[in-house]
C-alpha cells in the first residue's frame, strides 16, 4: 500500500518543491517575501512562475487559475490554459511572472456592495505567496486576494491579511516592553473543527428544499432522534468510513493536515479537524476542505450538507475556531509560561483578549451572522447569541486574586505580584470541560465556537484579530510611557479585570437563567443577523477598524449591505421553495390521501353498516390541515411579493426577520403535522427518518 508520507502534499508547490526547483537566489528572495512580506521583484516572479508551470505540467495540469474568496462565501476561479500559439502553428506552454502575480477576472457579478459600479467591473487578483499554490482537477491554483482597481477589498482575504498585520504590529510593541527583541513577527494560528452531515444522494435528489437551500424546510421529527446520544463518537458506518478515508487522502494530497474524524451528536453528523496553521492558510484550507468534502461525497453517492441547520429539531453544525498567537521563535503567547515574566506576559495577553471580546461583542457576533447560523445560535445546542468567555475556575480564581489583592488559593500566603510570582499549572482538563461557552480558553488557545459550519473562517478572524490588536495598542500606549513597567502592568491588568469581568462566565451557556443574568450584566444579545449586522457601522467599530487599516469606511458599509442582502436573499429563496413544495407536492399528496380515504369510507359503507369513525376523523383533520396549509402558503406568497417592494436594505432585513420567517414557521408547522398523519406511500419525498438513518 502507498504510504501517506509518499503522497502527502504531492499536489502542493510547497517549500520542498521550491527548494528543489528554484535557484538559491530566487528561493531566498521568495522566502523573504513569504516570511517578511518584502515586495517580489519581477525577475523573481518570472523564475517562480516558470518553475511552477513546469512542475504543474509534469503533474498533468493544463490550466492555471487565480483562486479567490469573494463576498459570496464560496471561492471563485477563472481558468486559463497555459497554451500560447507559436509562429509555426504549434503551441507552447507559457506562464509568466506577471500572470502569477496579478490577474484580472471579470468581476462584475461578484457582490461589492456598491463599491464597484458594474461599468468599471474589473477588479484584480493579487498572489498571496504565503499560501502555497496547488493542483486540483488538472489546474494549478494560485491563492490570491481580490481588490478593486482603486484598492478596495472585494474579498475576505485582503482584510484578513490586514488584520494579521495589525495584531503583529501591536503585539510586537508589547513584547518589546518585556525586553523581547529577538522576535521579528507574530502570527495568529487557527485550527477549525468542521462539522457536517452526510445524506444519501438518491434521497437528496427528491428534496427540492435540500437542493435549493441546503436545508430541509419541512419535516417532522422521527421517533428516534438524538435522544439516545448513541451516535456521538459511536462506531463509524462502513460507507461513511470509506468516504472519510477517501476524503483524508484527497486532503492530504493537497497538503491539508486532516487529523481527527468522528461522529457527532446528531445521527448522520460528523466532524473533521485539521492540525492548526497560520490563519490565512487555515482559511484557504478550510475553504478547500469544504469544497473537497462535497466533491468526494458525490463519488460515494452521498451529499455532504454544510448548512448550519439541515434538520429542525436535530443538532446543527458549527465550526470551532481554535485561535492562538505565537511568535516566529515558536512561543505561544496564550500559553502560561514557566517563569514569572512569562506568566505576566501571558496574563497581559489574556487580559487583552478579555477586554477585546467585551469591547467588541457586537463585531464578534456579527462576524458569524448568517441566515443559516441564526437557526443555531440560541437554540439548545450551540452557544447562545450572547458572547461570554469561559476561563475555568482556576484561572478565574487567579484573576480574582489579582483584582482584589488577595492571596491566591492555598498555594501562597501573600498576594499575587505580577512579574514576580509564578502561576500555578492549569491542567487542560479543568479548562476544557465547559462545552457551552461561545468563547472558551482551552489551556493555550481560545476556542471561538459560534461559527456556523458553512461560514468562511475569515470574517470571525478578521474581527477577532482587529479587536485584540486595538486593545494591545491601548495597552502599549499606556505601558510605553510608564516609569515602572512591572507596577504599571500590574495596575493595568487589575483594572482590566475589574472593568471587563462581566464578560467572564463559567456556567452553562444553554441555560435560560444565563440569558437573564447576561442582560443584567449589560451584555449584548443580538439574536438574528438583522439585529447584529447593522452594528458593524456603529461609530466605535468604524473608528477602530479604520484606525488599524482593516477596512475603509466605504468597505465597512458595503460589507454590511452585502451580508444583509445575503440574509434577505437566502430567506427569500427558502420562502419561494416552500411555496412551491407546498403547492405542488405536499398539499396534493395530502389531499390525495384524504380523498382516497374518503372514497374508502364510501366503499365500506356501501357494503356494510359501519360508522368508519377513524377514517372520518382522519379525513376531517386532514382537510382542516389542507386548508391551514393553503392559507399559510398564500400568506407566505404575499410576504414574498411585499418584500420585493421594500428597497431599504435594513427595513427589508427586518421584514424578513419579523414577517417572512414566522410565515414560514406557520406553513411548516401545518405541513409537518399533516406529514405525521399521511400514509408513507403517499408522501412525495423522503422524510427525516430515511434521511437521517439512510446512510
Ligand atoms: P475538541 O476537544 O474541541 O474537539 P480537537 O482536538 O478536535 O478539539 O480540535 C482542536 C483543534 O485545535 C485542532 O484543529 C487543533 O489543531 C487546534 N489547535 C491545537 N492547538 C492550537 C493552537 N495553539 N492554536 C490554534 N489551534 C490549535
Ligand atoms: Mg472544539
Amino acid at each position: 500500500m502507498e504510504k501517506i508520507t509518499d503522497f502527502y502534499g504531492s499536489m502542493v508547490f510547497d517549500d520542498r518543491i521550491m527548494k528543489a526547483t528554484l535557484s538559491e537566489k530566487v528561493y531566498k528572495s521568495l522566502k523573504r517575501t513569504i516570511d517578511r512580506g518584502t515586495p517580489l521583484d519581477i525577475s523573481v516572479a518570472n523564475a517562480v512562475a516558470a518553475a511552477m508551470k513546469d512542475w504543474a505540467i509534469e503533474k498533468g495540469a493544463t490550466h492555471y487559475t487565480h483562486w479567490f474568496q469573494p463576498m459570496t462565501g464560496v471561492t471563485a476561479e477563472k481558468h486559463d490554459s497555459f497554451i500560447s500559439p507559436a509562429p509555426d502553428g504549434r503551441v507552447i506552454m507559457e506562464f509568466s511572472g506577471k500572470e502569477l502575480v496579478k490577474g484580472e477576472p471579470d468581476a462584475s457579478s461578484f457582490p461589492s456592495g456598491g463599491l464597484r459600479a458594474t461599468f468599471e467591473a474589473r477588479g484584480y487578483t493579487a498572489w498571496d505567496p504565503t499560501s502555497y499554490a496547488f493542483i486540483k482537477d488538472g489546474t494549478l491554483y494560485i491563492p490570491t486576494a481580490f481588490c478593486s482597481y482603486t484598492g478596495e477589498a472585494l474579498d475576505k482575504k485582503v482584510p484578513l491579511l490586514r488584520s494579521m498585520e495589525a495584531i503583529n504590529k501591536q503585539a510586537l510593541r508589547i513584547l518589546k516592553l518585556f525586553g523581547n527583541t529577538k522576535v521579528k513577527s507574530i502570527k495568529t494560528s487557527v485550527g477549525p473543527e468542521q462539522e457536517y452531515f452526510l445524506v444519501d444522494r438518491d434521497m437528496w435528489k427528491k428534496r427540492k428544499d435540500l437542493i435549493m437551500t441546503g436545508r430541509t424546510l419541512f419535516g417532522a421529527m422521527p421517533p428516534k432522534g438524538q435522544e439516545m446520544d448513541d451516535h456521538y463518537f459511536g462506531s463509524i458506518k462502513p460507507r461513511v468510513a470509506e468516504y472519510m478515508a477517501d476524503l483524508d487522502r484527497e486532503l492530504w494530497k493537497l497538503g491539508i493536515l486532516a487529523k481527527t474524524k468522528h461522529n457527532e451528536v446528531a445521527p448522520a453528523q460528523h466532524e473533521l479537524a485539521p492540525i492548526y496553521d497560520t490563519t490565512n492558510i487555515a482559511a484557504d484550507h478550510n475553504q478547500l476542505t469544504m469544497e473537497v468534502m462535497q466533491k468526494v461525497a458525490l463519488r460515494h453517492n452521498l451529499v455532504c450538507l454544510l448548512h448550519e441547520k439541515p434538520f429542525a429539531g436535530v443538532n446543527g453544525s458549527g465550526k470551532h475556531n481554535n485561535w492562538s498567537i505565537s511568535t516566529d521563535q515558536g512561543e505561544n503567547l496564550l500559553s502560561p509560561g514557566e517563569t514569572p515574566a512569562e506568566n505576566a506576559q501571558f496574563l497581559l495577553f489574556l487580559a487583552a483578549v478579555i477586554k477585546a471580546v467585551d469591547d467588541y461583542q457586537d463585531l464578534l457576533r456579527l462576524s458569524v451572522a448568517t441566515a443559516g447560523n441564526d437557526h443555531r445560535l440560541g437554540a439548545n445546542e450551540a452557544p447562545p447569541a450572547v458572547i461570554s468567555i469561559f476561563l475555568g475556575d482556576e484561572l478565574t480564581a487567579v484573576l480574582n486574586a489579582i483584582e482584589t489583592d488577595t492571596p491566591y488559593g492555598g498555594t501562597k500566603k501573600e498576594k499575587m505580584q505580577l512579574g514576580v510570582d509564578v502561576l500555578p499549572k492549569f491542567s487542560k482538563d479543568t479548562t476544557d470541560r465547559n462545552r457551552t461557552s461561545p468563547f472558551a480558553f482551552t489551556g493555550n488557545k481560545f476556542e471561538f465556537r459560534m461559527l456556523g459550519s458553512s461560514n468562511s473562517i475569515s470574517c470571525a478572524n478578521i474581527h477577532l484579530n482587529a479587536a485584540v490588536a486595538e486593545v494591545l495598542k491601548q495597552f502599549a500606549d499606556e505601558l510605553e510611557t510608564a516609569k515602572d513597567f512591572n507596577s504599571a502592568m500590574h495596575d493595568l491588568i487589575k483594572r482590566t479585570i475589574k472593568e471587563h469581568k462581566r464578560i467572564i462566565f463559567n456556567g452553562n451557556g444553554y441555560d435560560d437563567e444565563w440569558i437573564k443574568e447576561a442582560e443584567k450584566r449589560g451584555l449584548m444579545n443580538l439574536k438574528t443577523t438583522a439585529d447584529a449586522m447593522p452594528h458593524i457601522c456603529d461609530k466605535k467599530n468604524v473608528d477602530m477598524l479604520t484606525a488599524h487599516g482593516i477596512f475603509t469606511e466605504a468597505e465597512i458599509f458595503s460589507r454590511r449591505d452585502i451580508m444583509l442582502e445575503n440574509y434577505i436573499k437566502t430567506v427569500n429563496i427558502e420562502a419561494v421553495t416552500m411555496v412551491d413544495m407546498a403547492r405542488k407536492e405536499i398539499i396534493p399528496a395530502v389531499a390525495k390521501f384524504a380523498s382516497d380515504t374518503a372514497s374508502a369510507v364510501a366503499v365500506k359503507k356501501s357494503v356494510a353498516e359501519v360508522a368508519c369513525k377513524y377514517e372520518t376523523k382522519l379525513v376531517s383533520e386532514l382537510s382542516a390541515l389542507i386548508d391551514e396549509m393553503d392559507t399559510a402558503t398564500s400568506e407566505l406568497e404575499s410576504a414574498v411579493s411585499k418584500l420585493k417592494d421594500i428597497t431599504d436594505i435594513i427595513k427589508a432585513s427586518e421584514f424578513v426577520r419579523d414577517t417572512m420567517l414566522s410565515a414560514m414557521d406557520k406553513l411548516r408547522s401545518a405541513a409537518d403535522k399533516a406529514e405525521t398523519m399521511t400514509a408513507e406511500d403517499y408522501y412525495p419525498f423522503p422524510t427525516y427518518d430515511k434521511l437521517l438513518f439512510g446512510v
Side-chain angles (χ1 to χ4, degrees):
M1 225 186 90
E2 213 184 346
K3 281 190 295 196
I4 296 174
T5 44
D6 291 341
F7 66 83
Y8 179 81
S10 59
M11 291 302 179
V12 187
F13 193 78
D14 59 16
D15 200 56
R16 289 178 299 184
I17 308 293
M18 289 178 195
K19 256 205 189 105
T21 60
L22 301 172
S23 73
E24 200 181 317
K25 191 168 154 255
V26 170
Y27 173 76
K28 277 200 178 135
S29 165
L30 178 60
K31 275 298 266 188
R32 263 200 304 280
T33 301
I34 292 172
D35 295 340
R36 275 178 252 147
T38 46
L40 201 67
D41 125 9
I42 187 69
S43 66
V44 174
N46 279 332
V48 176
M52 261 187 197
K53 179 200 68 183
D54 292 345
W55 169 80
I57 289 171
E58 167 117 11
K59 295 261 177 200
T62 52
H63 289 67
Y64 70 92
T65 181
H66 273 202
W67 183 63
F68 58 104
Q69 295 162 32
M71 293 300 297
T72 50
V74 288
T75 54
E77 49 200 70
K78 176 189 153 213
H79 296 207
D80 282 300
S81 76
F82 290 121
I83 60 168
S84 175
D88 60 359
R90 287 177 308 132
V91 292
I92 48 169
M93 302 296 258
E94 269 189 347
F95 185 48
S96 68
K98 208 170 132 247
E99 287 166 310
L100 166 63
V101 171
K102 196 167 171 179
E104 294 183 29
D106 174 15
S108 53
S109 50
F110 296 112
S112 77
L115 276 184
R116 176 183 23 71
T118 28
F119 61 84
E120 39 180 11
R122 290 171 93 83
Y124 69 89
T125 49
W127 181 32
D128 169 12
T130 60
S131 184
Y132 296 139
F134 57 90
I135 296 171
K136 192 167 72 75
D137 307 322
T139 296
L140 171 67
Y141 279 71
I142 299 151
T144 60
F146 180 39
C147 287
S148 75
Y149 255 113
T150 43
E152 269 121 353
L154 296 175
D155 72 350
K156 305 191 179 191
K157 193 193 258 282
V158 173
L160 181 64
L161 292 170
R162 291 174 182 163
S163 76
M164 289 167 69
E165 182 41 38
I167 196 169
N168 172 53
K169 188 171 155 195
Q170 303 304 334
L172 285 177
R173 289 175 66 193
I174 299 284
L175 292 178
K176 212 164 155 197
L177 288 166
F178 280 93
N180 191 338
T181 46
K182 262 202 284 187
V183 174
K184 294 277 173 288
S185 66
I186 69 99
K187 280 193 170 128
T188 51
S189 303
V190 168
E193 301 163 57
Q194 177 72 50
E195 291 184 330
Y196 61 99
F197 277 84
L198 289 176
V199 295
D200 182 82
R201 188 158 174 236
D202 294 329
M203 291 188 203
W204 175 87
K205 276 187 196 151
K206 295 187 182 131
R207 297 215 43 147
K208 283 186 195 163
D209 47 3
L210 285 178
I211 295 172
M212 300 300 293
T213 72
R215 75 174 178 113
T216 56
L217 299 167
F218 296 100
M221 276 298 288
K224 179 183 171 192
Q226 64 196 57
E227 299 85 6
M228 312 287 282
D229 271 338
D230 52 355
H231 185 74
Y232 193 48
F233 279 75
S235 71
I236 297 170
K237 289 182 188 159
R239 191 168 163 201
V240 174
E242 278 165 32
Y243 164 75
M244 287 177 169
D246 199 5
L247 175 62
D248 277 346
R249 214 189 132 78
E250 291 301 327
L251 294 175
W252 288 335
K253 280 200 256 176
L254 292 168
I256 297 173
L257 286 157
K259 176 85 172 160
T260 32
K261 50 184 180 187
H262 59 75
N263 286 350
E264 264 299 331
V265 181
Q269 191 186 28
H270 312 280
E271 181 188 291
L272 179 145
I275 294 175
Y276 67 100
D277 211 330
T278 307
T279 307
N280 64 318
I281 297 167
D284 284 357
H285 281 178
N286 183 249
Q287 289 301 135
L288 204 49
T289 299
M290 291 195 284
E291 217 178 290
V292 175
M293 281 173 117
Q294 286 171 304
K295 211 179 73 188
V296 171
L298 300 182
R299 284 189 210 153
H300 297 259
N301 205 35
L302 294 167
V303 173
C304 170
L305 303 177
L306 291 171
H307 194 283
E308 283 74 16
K309 196 73 182 173
F311 303 98
V314 175
N315 199 62
S317 299
K319 180 144 56 193
H320 292 174
N321 188 84
N322 293 274
W323 176 89
S324 66
I325 324 172
S326 51
T327 69
D328 57 354
Q329 311 285 310
E331 184 191 1
N332 179 350
L333 299 174
L334 296 179
S335 185
E338 304 286 337
T339 64
E342 283 170 358
N343 284 172
Q345 185 181 294
F346 160 72
L347 286 171
L348 189 64
F349 278 97
L350 180 74
V353 176
I354 292 170
K355 178 167 159 57
V357 173
D358 189 24
D359 283 348
Y360 298 99
Q361 295 165 44
D362 45 1
L363 284 186
L364 291 178
R365 169 64 183 95
L366 67 88
S367 75
V368 300
T370 59
N373 213 15
D374 280 358
H375 295 289
R376 231 180 113 245
L377 301 176
N380 252 7
E381 42 161 305
V386 179
I387 309 246
S388 65
I389 301 183
F390 170 88
L391 291 180
D393 294 338
E394 281 181 311
L395 194 50
T396 306
V398 169
L399 299 190
N400 279 340
I402 297 170
E403 186 202 345
T404 54
D405 278 330
T406 48
Y408 166 70
T411 54
K412 282 207 62 92
K413 287 280 166 295
E414 282 160 50
K415 65 180 191 182
M416 175 91 55
Q417 190 56 45
L418 288 174
V420 179
D421 290 340
V422 181
L423 284 181
K425 281 255 167 292
F426 310 109
S427 52
K428 179 170 160 58
D429 229 36
T430 55
T431 54
D432 200 22
R433 237 180 286 127
N434 190 326
R435 313 293 290 173
T436 65
S437 173
F439 202 95
F441 181 68
T442 50
N444 60 1
K445 58 181 159 65
F446 279 97
E447 193 169 337
F448 185 23
R449 300 198 178 115
M450 286 172 97
L451 285 76
S453 46
S454 71
N455 282 161
S456 152
I457 64 166
S458 297
C459 299
N461 287 289
I462 291 166
H463 292 291
L464 179 55
N465 291 343
V468 175
E470 165 62 21
V471 177
L472 292 175
K473 178 194 171 288
Q474 294 173 20
F475 283 10
D477 287 348
E478 181 171 334
L479 296 175
E480 276 167 358
T481 57
K483 285 200 186 68
D484 175 356
F485 172 65
N486 263 347
S487 79
M489 173 182 58
H490 190 109
D491 291 348
L492 174 62
I493 292 177
K494 192 171 148 179
R495 196 177 72 232
T496 305
I497 297 166
K498 199 167 260 152
E499 285 168 6
H500 298 284
K501 65 179 177 193
R502 64 171 185 168
I503 197 79
I504 299 167
F505 175 65
N506 293 327
N508 181 0
Y510 296 176
D511 201 340
D512 289 337
E513 283 305 305
W514 161 237
I515 303 302
K516 283 185 213 144
E517 160 74 18
E519 226 155 83
K520 268 194 225 139
R521 293 191 189 185
L523 301 180
M524 298 178 103
N525 185 4
L526 301 168
K527 293 199 181 99
T528 69
T529 303
D531 297 299
M533 205 51 75
H535 284 284
I536 196 173
C537 297
D538 290 358
K539 186 173 181 313
K540 84 166 209 305
N541 294 330
V542 173
D543 287 350
M544 186 277 276
L545 292 166
T546 54
H548 291 275
I550 317 283
F551 290 119
T552 63
E553 190 165 341
E555 286 170 355
I556 294 171
F557 279 80
S558 80
R559 258 151 228 258
R560 179 199 62 187
D561 290 357
I562 291 169
M563 296 310 289
L564 284 177
E565 204 174 289
N566 191 302
Y567 170 75
I568 295 160
K569 274 190 191 155
T570 303
V571 178
N572 190 53
I573 293 170
E574 290 178 348
V576 172
T577 306
M578 281 186 94
V579 167
D580 185 83
M581 287 172 81
R583 286 256 182 263
K584 295 192 190 141
E585 296 184 299
I586 302 172
I587 296 176
V590 177
K592 173 92 170 57
F593 177 55
S595 111
D596 285 358
T597 309
S599 311
V601 170
V603 173
K604 263 171 135 184
K605 282 192 171 165
S606 72
V607 295
E609 229 165 85
V610 284
C612 292
K613 262 159 72 184
Y614 164 72
E615 290 94 331
T616 311
K617 182 166 159 267
L618 182 64
V619 170
S620 73
E621 281 178 9
L622 285 172
S623 299
L625 283 170
I626 291 167
D627 291 343
E628 208 179 311
M629 284 193 276
D630 176 48
T631 311
T633 308
S634 301
E635 276 173 30
L636 188 54
E637 275 173 315
S638 100
V640 168
S641 81
K642 268 197 201 120
L643 178 66
K644 284 200 194 94
D645 298 330
I646 309 175
T647 47
D648 181 87
I649 197 147
I650 306 263
K651 290 216 175 78
S653 72
E654 288 165 355
F655 179 80
V656 162
R657 177 193 64 195
D658 302 333
T659 308
M660 290 267 271
L661 285 165
S662 51
M664 285 162 64
D665 281 347
K666 211 163 137 193
L667 172 55
R668 176 173 189 149
S669 116
D672 288 0
K673 194 145 171 231
E675 184 201 305
T676 62
M677 295 166 64
T678 303
E680 222 172 85
D681 298 348
Y682 284 78
Y683 221 67
F685 41 73
T687 50
Y688 269 27
D689 49 345
K690 297 205 180 61
L691 286 166
L692 287 166
F693 298 98
V695 173

